[in-house]
Amino acid sequence: MKLHTSWTLLLFACLAWSCGSESQTTEAGEAEAGPETAAEAPAETISVTPLEGSPAFAEASIGLGSHTANEDGTYTFNFDVEGYELGAQTEPKPGPLANSGKGQHIHLIVDNGPYSAHYEPTVSTDKLQEPGNHVVLAFLSRSYHESVKNVEGDKTSFFLSQYQTGEGEVEQADFTAPHMFYSRPKGTYKGEDTKKLLLDFFLLNTELSESGNKIRATINGQEFLLTEWRPYVIEGLNLGTVTIKLELMDGAGQPIPGPFNTVTREVTLAPADAE
């Protein structure tokens, strides 16, 4: 009887040790697997909505007083600005957008490259030095970088011309054709400025509508059709690199030919403490 009891106790002890050992192995395996699973970035739910509340500046205009080709290859443009105060803060501001502390300014774009901002009517650029034909667009910009879109009448908010540098004949752009010029977003955004990005572009010789021409905006792979020429706000982006592609499309969904009507840019969204 005692022998039977001893064997029974021994059997229970072995079973308990075996079960306990298996349980510890399983728990240790799960604990080890946890840290090796990288945290995935949250999925982006990007939205593109019209920006409301911008002051109109219906009387604002810009024209060219003179320009000079300098000996060092730079060009200087002396603009005449009327009905618009360069250097002033635009009020009211429609929500929290990246804003220039230097105020209202001129966006100068050469060959649809990234613009340079200028807060005085005299503007110099070195972007016409490469031999060839160069298209120069200048337009008035609010302090938060939204373009003033007065494109009809005797006084307009933009200046457009082209200049040939170097020798020989080169093909010029057709200024009677539809053109789209990219403006914003641009550069690096930090902290609160990453939450809402201004999407803005400049159009010439075309209108947008649901049944006609439109802009296809592809933002980090997500497509949006824009059927009005107005500023928009992009939200829902993760920090990091943002790729933005704009295309001027016809009513059949086909790209409209032109040197600037399809453009891709990258901007960076960084935390507030990034250097």
Side-chain angles (χ1 to χ4, degrees):
M1 189 71 178
K2 292 182 179 180
L3 181 61
H4 176 74
T5 302
S6 299
W7 277 108
T8 301
L9 292 175
L10 181 60
L11 177 60
F12 285 162
C14 290
L15 288 174
W17 178 86
S18 175
C19 292
S21 177
E22 181 178 355
S23 175
Q24 291 169 8
T25 302
T26 303
E27 291 174 2
E30 292 174 352
E32 291 171 1
E36 293 177 359
T37 304
E40 295 182 0
E44 289 183 315
T45 304
I46 302 172
S47 65
V48 177
T49 56
L51 176 67
E52 306 285 356
S54 294
F57 296 112
E59 302 301 318
S61 67
I62 185 174
L64 181 66
S66 64
H67 80 274
T68 304
N70 304 310
E71 292 184 359
D72 61 358
T74 63
Y75 272 68
T76 299
F77 299 91
N78 295 299
F79 292 112
D80 295 326
V81 177
E82 298 181 5
Y84 199 71
E85 185 181 356
L86 297 177
Q89 287 295 315
T90 306
E91 298 293 348
K93 294 182 179 66
L97 292 171
N99 182 75
S100 172
K102 297 180 180 180
Q104 298 173 163
H105 50 280
I106 298 169
H107 279 196
L108 183 75
I109 297 175
V110 179
D111 299 332
N112 205 28
Y115 71 81
S116 55
H118 303 271
Y119 299 85
E120 300 290 340
T122 298
V123 173
S124 294
T125 180
D126 60 0
K127 296 180 180 179
L128 282 72
Q129 294 179 326
E130 188 74 19
N133 186 67
H134 299 284
V135 174
V136 176
L137 170 68
F139 57 78
L140 300 175
S141 169
R142 297 166 175 85
S143 61
Y144 46 88
H145 306 288
E146 178 199 338
S147 59
V148 179
K149 300 174 178 62
N150 304 337
V151 296
E152 298 180 355
D154 295 333
K155 293 186 176 181
T156 62
S157 62
F158 75 97
F159 163 80
L160 180 70
S161 190
Q162 49 192 328
Y163 300 87
Q164 180 180 339
T165 58
E167 303 295 331
E169 294 295 325
V170 293
E171 183 179 359
Q172 292 192 323
D174 180 5
F175 281 173
T176 66
H179 291 288
M180 176 193 69
F181 296 86
Y182 183 104
S183 183
R184 298 283 287 190
K186 173 180 178 279
T188 297
Y189 297 77
K190 295 181 181 180
E192 289 297 311
D193 288 346
T194 65
K195 295 180 179 180
K196 294 186 176 184
L197 272 59
L198 175 69
L199 174 62
D200 199 31
F201 46 88
F202 209 89
L203 294 178
L204 294 173
N205 306 319
T206 185
E207 295 182 355
L208 305 183
S209 67
E210 292 186 2
S211 59
N213 294 351
K214 53 185 62 68
I215 300 294
R216 180 165 64 193
T218 306
I219 305 169
N220 282 357
Q222 299 185 36
E223 292 187 2
F224 304 86
L225 290 180
L226 311 179
T227 59
E228 295 181 89
W229 184 25
R230 61 184 302 164
Y232 295 86
V233 176
I234 308 171
E235 296 180 79
L237 294 165
N238 293 337
L239 297 182
T241 301
V242 179
T243 302
I244 300 164
K245 182 179 182 180
L246 298 184
E247 300 168 275
L248 180 60
M249 316 291 289
D250 63 20
Q254 298 300 311
I256 296 176
F260 313 125
N261 292 341
T262 297
V263 59
T264 300
R265 297 283 168 83
E266 289 186 349
V267 301
T268 301
L269 308 188
D273 58 356
E275 295 184 0

